[in-house]
Amino acid sequence: MAESRGRQSGFDLFGVAQAGPLPDAPHLRDQIASGRHGRMQFLARTIDVRCDPRVGFPWAKSVICVARRVHSKEAASFNGIACYANAVDYHCTLGEMLSKYVGDMKKEFPRAGRARAFVDSGPVTEKAWARQAGLGFIGKNTLLIAPELGSRIHLGTILLEASIPPDAPGAGTCGDCRRCLDACPTGALTEAGRLDARLCIAYLTVERRGDIPEADRPKIGACVFGCDACQDACPHNRRGPVPADAEPETIDRLIDLSEADFDRLFGDTPVQRATWKGLRLNAITAAGNVGGNSCASSLQKCLDDPDPAIRERARWAIEGLTLRRHRGRLCDRLLILNSCTDK
Ligand code: SF4
């Protein structure tokens, strides 16, 4: 009953697991114990429920898992912004779909009992449950890979009081492939299936809201919000959209962004999580890393910004820009010198 309704409700994938302790619990606890969760204290606070949802929701007997493929380009598209974030916020769209699904299910099956839906919004380890419910397997990049859809999918979870026959856990492995580990620009995938969030560009540009330690700033390269490197490298995503790196004119535009434009362009997208100031700080950092001459005037303007953090980051970025210019000139001269010597 739940499955046919799930498919009718517009989800691309649907599965059910039995609520209980997750086999991934030791791995999840180790992540917290070793501090690889960085500043995401909510992960530490809720670790017991994440390992077994019945700790927080003793009535839960089933875990319904759904997935919906990423629909990029639903909103304004910017290079340097991760594919999933160039779209209307899936927390809202998928959240609405799940609420409707729960409402319809309760009408049709009043004995289904209590239900609670989550879209990246509560103490539920969605990827692990999606694997348990047969939606796919966890790749070496720590993401859920669905055989037909790859990893560019959004996940939703419903804890349900009724007991529904579960699906078999997802099978599949990455085999010998390790492209994501090789592609990660910061080495955040320290080994297969192990992510150090503190090194991950998504964490640095989203969760830290622009507050990136100086030593880590070069690591974000041209990324302004999130990173797609490990997903772009994955052969399972060959058919999916491949976003481009930030181009200098995009970075300019984001550096100069007014708060009103931020709300207009990103108000209904996941980018709002970075905050207006955080996004500008990220764009300034990217300009310091990869920006060309076209970024210079935007950075210069930032030196008069009322916010001291913006002024400090602009000074840092201008130094980077200047250094690259000098290096470029030096290389030009060495090339000329080389060609003269060759003659
Ligand atoms: Fe697995 Fe290769 Fe995809 Fe990484 S890139 S998740 S190793 S299949």
Side-chain angles (χ1 to χ4, degrees):
M1 56 103 177
E3 176 163 4
S4 63
R5 177 161 293 290
R7 299 216 190 272
Q8 284 162 20
S9 301
F11 305 121
D12 293 309
L13 298 172
F14 185 95
V16 179
Q18 188 180 0
L22 265 179
D24 311 64
H27 177 77
L28 297 173
R29 290 191 187 281
D30 179 57
Q31 186 198 26
I32 303 299
S34 63
R36 298 197 306 275
H37 60 302
R39 287 185 184 176
M40 295 183 281
Q41 287 308 323
F42 58 92
L43 293 178
R45 272 199 310 273
T46 57
I47 185 66
D48 292 337
V49 194
R50 285 177 187 279
C51 289
D52 183 345
R54 296 172 309 172
V55 172
F57 308 92
W59 44 265
K61 294 192 187 66
S62 302
V63 185
I64 297 178
C65 298
V66 301
R68 190 167 178 249
R69 73 186 75 214
V70 169
H71 292 269
S72 193
K73 315 293 184 219
E74 284 172 358
S77 190
F78 283 82
N79 291 336
I81 290 183
C83 184
Y84 83 93
N86 267 319
V88 175
D89 195 342
Y90 75 95
H91 297 92
C92 305
T93 49
L94 190 53
E96 279 167 18
M97 288 171 72
L98 277 184
S99 300
K100 181 168 181 335
Y101 173 80
V102 168
D104 290 350
M105 184 175 63
K106 281 186 165 179
K107 263 187 234 154
E108 202 170 337
F109 306 100
R111 290 168 64 189
R114 277 173 280 186
R116 176 96 181 258
F118 303 90
V119 180
D120 190 29
S121 56
V124 175
T125 310
E126 289 172 320
K127 288 181 283 187
W129 280 112
R131 193 264 323 282
Q132 288 303 102
L135 269 53
F137 67 96
I138 306 286
K140 290 178 186 171
N141 61 3
T142 76
L143 300 174
L144 184 92
I145 298 179
E148 320 88 67
L149 299 176
S151 63
R152 293 195 207 278
I153 48 180
H154 297 313
L155 300 174
T157 310
I158 300 167
L159 298 179
L160 188 70
E161 188 168 7
S163 182
I164 305 178
D167 292 289
T173 70
C174 295
D176 293 337
C177 177
R178 46 171 294 121
R179 291 182 204 184
C180 52
L181 286 106
D182 297 337
C184 178
T186 62
L189 290 167
T190 52
E191 57 186 272
R194 181 177 276 238
L195 176 80
D196 189 334
R198 295 166 296 184
L199 301 173
C200 179
I201 290 175
Y203 170 76
L204 290 170
T205 58
V206 181
E207 298 300 331
R208 291 195 65 120
R209 298 190 167 90
D211 176 24
I212 306 174
E214 191 164 342
D216 290 335
R217 290 175 196 166
K219 291 178 187 163
I220 77 162
C223 296
V224 179
F225 183 95
C227 171
D228 286 305
C230 67
Q231 299 205 75
D232 291 347
C234 183
H236 292 280
N237 291 330
R238 266 188 203 132
R239 280 167 294 178
V242 179
D245 278 346
E247 291 163 356
E249 53 280 14
T250 305
I251 299 175
D252 287 359
R253 204 170 155 204
L254 294 176
I255 294 171
D256 293 337
L257 206 64
S258 68
E259 192 164 10
D261 279 343
F262 175 80
D263 289 341
R264 183 174 58 78
L265 290 167
F266 300 116
D268 61 353
T269 77
V271 177
Q272 60 176 302
R273 184 164 177 82
T275 73
W276 170 53
K277 175 179 165 180
L279 191 73
R280 287 187 71 211
L281 285 170
N282 291 344
I284 295 169
T285 311
N289 291 335
V290 301
N293 289 340
S294 60
C295 291
S297 69
S298 298
L299 291 176
Q300 206 63 40
K301 265 189 269 163
C302 290
L303 295 178
D304 297 323
D305 197 277
D307 190 317
I310 298 278
R311 296 201 296 273
E312 181 276 327
R313 193 63 56 88
R315 272 193 293 275
W316 176 88
I318 288 168
E319 269 175 34
L321 213 64
T322 314
L323 203 64
R324 270 206 314 284
R325 249 189 236 149
H326 287 161
R327 272 203 205 117
R329 285 197 198 122
L330 191 64
C331 284
D332 289 348
R333 285 185 198 182
L334 287 172
L335 281 174
I336 293 168
L337 196 66
N338 256 1
S339 68
C340 293
T341 329
D342 288 348
K343 282 172 199 163

